[in-house]
Amino acid sequence: MTERFAGTDQDIEAAARLLAAGELVAFGTETVYGLGADATNAKAVAAIFAAKGRPHFNPLICHYASAEAAFADVAANDAARKLAEIFWPGPLTLVLPRRATCEVALLAGAGLETLAVRVPAHPQAAKLLGALGRPVAAPSANRSGQISPTTAAHVLAGLRGRIAAVLDSGPCRVGVESTVLDLSTGTPFLLRPGGVALEALEAAIGPVRFGMPVDKTVDRHAKLRSPGMLVSHYAPALPVRVRADEVAADEALLAFGPPLPGARLVFQLSESGDLAEAAARLFEGLHWLDAQAPALGLRRIAAMAVPETGLGLAINDRLGRAAAPRE
Ligand code: TXA
Ligand code: MG
């Protein structure tokens, strides 16, 4: 079920065709193997979370063939350009504001206004990205809670039968994930130590702080979170009510399956009750309802019940956080 490709140019072309068709392909990078999907295809990105068995929608790193391609999707500043010059291609991920023209699916960035981008150094990864001509969203290619894979055999041990193919690119040279640096505010923040040393970053751009920049926190109830959660996620401006079985006069509806009667504004997650489709549309829907509801005088989002199976767990996790009491 899961094809194992060697690294010939034909193999890379075949892997790129699978990605273009919305399939999942694991591929080697210099850090760890990534579980890749076409980042502009929300359903393909949703399939990543399903394959990994992730209970949450974490924001994923988008991989690009060049700094130029990456900076077409996010707005680079001087520090970003300098670091790209020195460390790309390589094990450094930069978090920067999404451009309005960025076509990466909102689900890939967990609905955030920022996007994590990187240009991997592994020659086969570079060829694959070049052949596809689109960004590839890729977390590490392991099941949720397991360790990151550094060989194709590791990938197959965890994901055989759950993904279309693995491109065997040999053992990973670095073996730990990329360093994640947030440059989306005036102050650089180290979000995850990794393949590029902190000292090397500081030699290039000066002091780097640890943790999350608070002023970029979109989430309005971040304080309620477990401290282990490094990254804030998008929460809608409007309050959310979950497991709604009726719609009040001042509510917009986030529907799953046949909509509840009486709603004046409806965003349909999945008419047919398909959880992967619903996951792919979730952040899109919250953004859209936030934007449309005020003009109609609607003040809350009523979300219909979503089953607690498969991607429903992650959908309900996000909706539950959005619905949690706010200060
Ligand atoms: O080495 C790597 O980076 C590997 C290979 C495959 O490239 N990829 C990887 O991806 O480790 P992932 O999705 O497992 O890690 C993403 C990291 C997480 O720590 C996540 O919280 C952070 O990047 N991240 C992604 N987008 C973010 C954003 N918009 N803001 C803040 N942090 C973000
Ligand atoms: Mg991982």
Side-chain angles (χ1 to χ4, degrees):
M1 271 169 97
T2 298
E3 277 195 83
R4 183 181 190 142
F5 291 126
T8 68
D9 284 356
Q10 286 96 315
D11 288 335
I12 292 170
E13 291 288 340
R17 277 196 300 275
L18 285 172
L19 287 170
E23 301 283 348
L24 301 183
V25 177
F27 62 100
T29 79
E30 72 279 20
T31 58
V32 300
Y33 273 72
L35 175 53
D38 173 356
T40 65
N41 178 339
K43 277 201 89 163
V45 174
I48 289 178
F49 293 102
K52 284 188 66 107
R54 267 205 187 167
H56 315 293
F57 295 130
N58 303 327
L60 307 176
I61 295 170
C62 286
H63 298 70
Y64 291 83
S66 67
E68 195 191 353
F71 293 159
D73 275 354
V74 293
N77 46 35
D78 288 345
R81 277 186 289 269
K82 179 147 195 207
L83 292 174
E85 185 81 18
I86 301 172
F87 297 105
W88 280 354
L92 176 65
T93 294
L94 301 177
V95 173
L96 290 163
R98 282 173 77 111
R99 291 186 190 275
T101 52
C102 176
E103 285 178 1
V104 169
L106 284 179
L107 180 61
L112 294 169
E113 311 293 322
T114 55
L115 193 65
V117 299
R118 107 171 173 92
V119 179
H122 196 293
Q124 285 181 7
K127 277 191 191 170
L128 180 65
L129 292 164
L132 181 64
R134 284 181 223 159
V136 169
S140 54
N142 51 278
R143 298 286 287 274
S144 183
Q146 299 182 350
I147 56 164
S148 296
T150 53
T151 65
H154 292 166
V155 174
L156 287 168
L159 294 172
R160 189 191 300 276
R162 300 175 76 91
I163 61 176
V166 57
L167 184 61
D168 188 344
S169 322
C172 300
R173 174 168 61 80
V174 177
V176 296
E177 286 92 342
S178 62
T179 301
V180 180
L181 186 70
D182 189 330
L183 293 177
S184 67
T185 65
T187 310
F189 276 89
L190 182 74
L191 300 184
R192 181 178 76 184
V196 170
L198 178 61
E199 292 82 352
L201 296 177
E202 292 195 317
I205 58 164
V208 168
R209 307 222 339 238
F210 285 74
M212 274 294 281
V214 171
D215 56 349
K216 66 151 284 200
T217 301
V218 186
D219 191 308
R220 288 163 188 78
H221 48 279
K223 285 200 202 97
L224 299 175
R225 301 276 187 78
S226 71
M229 268 192 91
L230 191 59
V231 175
S232 298
H233 293 243
Y234 176 81
L238 293 175
V240 175
R241 188 167 68 83
V242 293
R243 285 184 290 281
D245 50 15
E246 58 187 14
V247 188
D250 64 348
E251 286 181 331
L253 181 67
L254 187 67
F256 180 77
L260 296 169
R264 288 156 60 215
L265 184 67
V266 178
F267 186 93
Q268 179 58 263
L269 287 175
S270 171
E271 189 82 59
S272 65
D274 179 307
L275 287 167
E277 182 183 28
R281 290 169 58 76
L282 177 65
F283 291 107
E284 211 73 61
L286 293 174
H287 274 283
W288 188 83
L289 291 173
D290 255 353
Q292 305 295 320
L296 295 172
L298 304 175
R299 293 195 312 227
R300 188 163 50 199
I301 297 171
M304 289 173 63
V306 172
E308 277 283 303
T309 55
L311 287 180
L313 279 181
I315 293 171
N316 285 327
D317 170 74
R318 295 304 309 133
L319 287 175
R321 288 172 197 284
R326 305 178 186 185
E327 62 268 42

